[in-house]
Amino acid sequence: MGEHDGNGRTETLAGLGLTAAQGREARITNLAVDSRQVRPGTLFAALPGVRVHGATFVQTALEQGATAILTDRDGAALAADALAASDAALIVAEDPRQTLAYAAALWFEHQPGTITATTGTNGKTSVATFTRQIWQALGEEAVNLGTTGVEGAYRAPLRHTTPEPITLHAMLAELDASGITHVAMEASSHGLAQRRLDGVRLTAAAFTNFSQDHLDYHADFDEYFMAKAGLFDRVLPEDAIAVINIDDPRGADMALIAESRGQDVLRVGQGDTAALRILGQRFDVTGQDLRFSWNGAVRQVRLNLIGGFQAANVLAAAGLVIACGEDPARVFDTLTDLVTVPGRMQLAATRDNGAAVFVDYAHTPDALATALSNLRPHVMGRLIVVYGAGGDRDRGKRPLMGAEAAKYADVRIVTDDNPRTETPAEIRAQILDADPDAIEVGDRAEAILRGVDMLQPGDALLIAGKGHETGQTVGDDVFPFDDVEQASVAVAALDGYPA
């Protein structure tokens, strides 16, 4: 949804919190960030882009009936001639993305009463999904919103982890109208940097962890961290609660940012300052037993989840639900029923000899190290991994991923992920520089088959990088490809029964 038709509704600029720098007092009938979706009465947001400024399309928007243009000073200068020949209202904002977000919130008006957001390099989807599952177990009408779309009591696809403001606020209004009362959102660094969440009325927010990713978009680690910190120093209200993983090296920094805003901080982790404190974990083939304390009172619960890191994700989700007003004891009683997110340490298949195949979305060095090191306690035999790296993305992480795989896995198979427009062999070579003893198999289906074929009793295979994705991007084409399906097909072929 790049635009929204108000179905006959009109609004003044003042009603959207806007003031015109020039032009007439416009009557707004819909919002758009795509000039191709402009109709008479549209407020067109001409935003700065990575490749081109949206002001380039102001002339087209005006010709199609836009009555107001929202942009920045550079955009106003670029579109000066087109604007001078028009009586459309011009709104010039220092931060037009944030201004659009607040205007969209006012335009759509309605949001579910309880909304949380989770940021971090890894774990966002799991925490949001677990939060939704806990709410549903408690009888609430709830969804999670992010990488896997909208899931729960209402389902819909999404193009981005954190949609642009018009799409996001349209979705929140639609959820509210459909009776959804609780929403657990993922907050990506891109979405936070581009002010997509501004205007969302949050009750609580969580920080999971911080490691290398998206340095193709952010200039450096500090810029990447501050993008995530925007959730607490800008979006989350001062009277809300921040749930912070204090085991992460940057957890203390994030807690300080939250407390400086006046937010209460609910700490999660192994440290003695944690309100939700992990005291012990015992692992087996199908999951783990978790011993933890809540403000000093000890509890133990069975988690049918693979990976020690899932304990922190589960407790972060429990912390969010508690922060939103639910009774802690009732929250903890739901934890044993939590199920993993598709593509996140998902058991994809089991060979006749008992060896298991898991699929995980790990596509960063830290995520790969976390997945492998956390799978190890569940595995008696060898740990085998099939992995690669995406094209047209942060190239610096490729040798780092090779180094982590070599450190944690007994057998490594380097294959293609989503090569996009890069030469696949060159991507593999950059990984193999740090993992020279790995086996190179470019074809991902063959790599999975070979990994499954290696499995002996007590072994486990991790297929990393694509998780829930159902396509592989090669060049400009997306070909159907599902790691879970390929794992099942491989096991079926090798063990001699129909898939």
Side-chain angles (χ1 to χ4, degrees):
M1 292 180 226
E3 54 82 33
H4 178 73
D5 187 338
N7 295 322
R9 177 189 166 193
T10 62
E11 185 58 80
T12 65
L13 291 180
L16 297 178
L18 304 173
T19 302
Q22 68 180 55
R24 58 187 169 85
E25 172 55 43
R27 304 291 296 184
I28 306 302
T29 59
N30 69 302
L31 313 177
V33 291
D34 186 335
S35 62
R36 293 168 296 184
Q37 296 171 328
V38 170
R39 295 190 285 275
T42 296
L43 167 67
F44 174 62
L47 305 175
V50 176
R51 297 182 180 86
V52 64
H53 199 294
T56 305
F57 305 101
V58 165
Q59 179 66 54
T60 301
L62 292 171
E63 290 172 355
Q64 293 177 190
T67 54
I69 304 295
L70 166 64
T71 191
D72 58 7
R73 291 177 183 175
D74 290 342
L78 281 170
D81 291 344
L83 290 163
S86 166
D87 61 353
L90 169 65
I91 303 99
V92 180
E94 289 295 321
D95 190 339
R97 293 184 182 278
Q98 185 179 56
T99 302
L100 173 63
Y102 285 129
L106 290 169
W107 173 260
F108 291 102
E109 298 182 291
H110 301 292
Q111 302 178 21
T114 302
I115 306 177
T116 66
T118 299
T119 195
T121 306
N122 304 306
K124 294 185 296 294
T125 303
S126 292
V127 172
T129 303
F130 293 151
T131 301
R132 183 261 299 170
Q133 289 181 20
I134 294 170
W135 274 330
Q136 286 189 305
L138 295 173
E140 306 291 359
E141 293 294 317
V143 299
N144 58 281
L145 187 157
T147 305
T148 53
V150 181
E151 296 184 316
Y154 182 107
R155 301 184 70 87
L158 291 174
R159 291 181 58 193
H160 302 286
T161 298
T162 308
E164 51 83 19
I166 299 174
T167 300
L168 176 58
H169 285 282
M171 178 58 70
L172 291 175
E174 189 172 329
L175 291 172
D176 181 71
S178 300
I180 301 300
T181 57
H182 290 65
V183 177
M185 293 181 58
E186 298 175 47
S188 69
S189 60
H190 292 69
L192 288 164
Q194 295 176 11
R195 306 302 197 260
R196 297 180 197 169
L197 271 83
D198 292 57
V200 177
R201 297 189 286 272
L202 298 176
T203 304
F207 167 73
T208 58
N209 51 58
F210 180 78
S211 61
Q212 179 165 350
D213 197 13
H214 301 306
L215 294 188
D216 54 321
Y217 178 83
H218 301 287
D220 51 36
F221 272 113
D222 287 339
E223 182 182 295
Y224 179 36
F225 179 77
M226 290 314 298
K228 293 190 175 299
L231 180 58
F232 302 96
D233 69 12
R234 188 184 71 252
V235 182
L236 187 66
E238 294 176 2
D239 59 351
I241 297 176
V243 179
I244 305 292
N245 173 20
I246 58 165
D247 290 344
D248 187 83
R250 299 303 297 269
D253 296 334
M254 200 66 87
L256 187 63
I257 289 169
E259 288 175 331
S260 70
R261 285 279 313 286
Q263 296 156 4
D264 289 334
V265 174
L266 193 163
R267 290 171 170 80
V268 174
Q270 298 180 15
D272 56 12
T273 62
L276 274 169
R277 185 180 182 188
I278 299 171
L279 300 176
Q281 293 165 274
R282 182 173 59 203
F283 304 97
D284 56 42
V285 177
T286 61
Q288 59 192 283
D289 294 310
L290 170 65
R291 189 169 184 262
F292 69 98
S293 64
W294 164 246
N295 288 330
V298 178
R299 293 186 65 112
Q300 186 162 312
V301 65
R302 172 69 183 179
L303 298 179
N304 297 305
L305 303 167
I306 298 295
F309 64 90
Q310 290 286 32
N313 288 337
V314 167
L315 292 185
L320 284 172
V321 176
I322 292 168
C324 293
E326 297 287 354
D327 176 66
R330 294 187 65 220
V331 171
F332 302 145
D333 287 342
T334 71
L335 302 185
T336 191
D337 295 322
L338 297 178
V339 296
T340 191
V341 179
R344 291 348 187 242
M345 296 303 278
Q346 179 181 356
L347 178 60
T350 304
R351 294 210 61 179
D352 284 348
N353 63 17
V357 183
F358 296 92
V359 168
D360 191 78
Y361 191 49
H363 61 282
T364 68
D366 182 69
L368 185 60
T370 298
L372 289 169
S373 62
N374 279 270
L375 186 55
R376 175 69 72 181
H378 300 271
V379 181
M380 292 184 67
R382 298 174 304 163
L383 182 52
I384 304 168
V385 65
V386 171
Y387 76 108
D392 301 336
R393 298 293 187 270
D394 181 7
R395 299 185 179 202
K397 72 182 183 182
R398 294 170 189 172
L400 299 178
M401 293 185 71
E404 297 292 6
K407 180 178 179 181
Y408 289 106
D410 300 304
V411 181
R412 287 91 56 202
I413 301 175
V414 174
T415 190
D416 294 340
D417 190 289
N418 291 314
R420 300 183 176 89
T421 63
E422 287 193 63
T423 302
E426 293 179 1
I427 299 174
R428 298 195 301 271
Q430 292 170 29
I431 298 171
L432 289 163
D433 282 343
D435 190 6
D437 294 329
I439 302 164
E440 182 179 7
V441 182
D443 183 274
R444 192 172 181 90
E446 181 186 347
I448 292 171
L449 180 63
R450 290 182 64 175
V452 171
D453 190 38
M454 292 178 184
L455 289 172
Q456 299 173 3
D459 291 347
L461 168 65
L462 177 69
I463 304 169
K466 291 172 58 59
H468 64 282
E469 294 177 357
T470 56
Q472 183 178 34
T473 306
V474 182
D476 294 323
D477 298 315
V478 179
F479 298 97
F481 198 96
D482 185 320
D483 282 353
V484 173
E485 180 181 333
Q486 289 295 325
S488 297
V489 168
V491 168
L494 292 167
D495 287 344
Y497 55 87

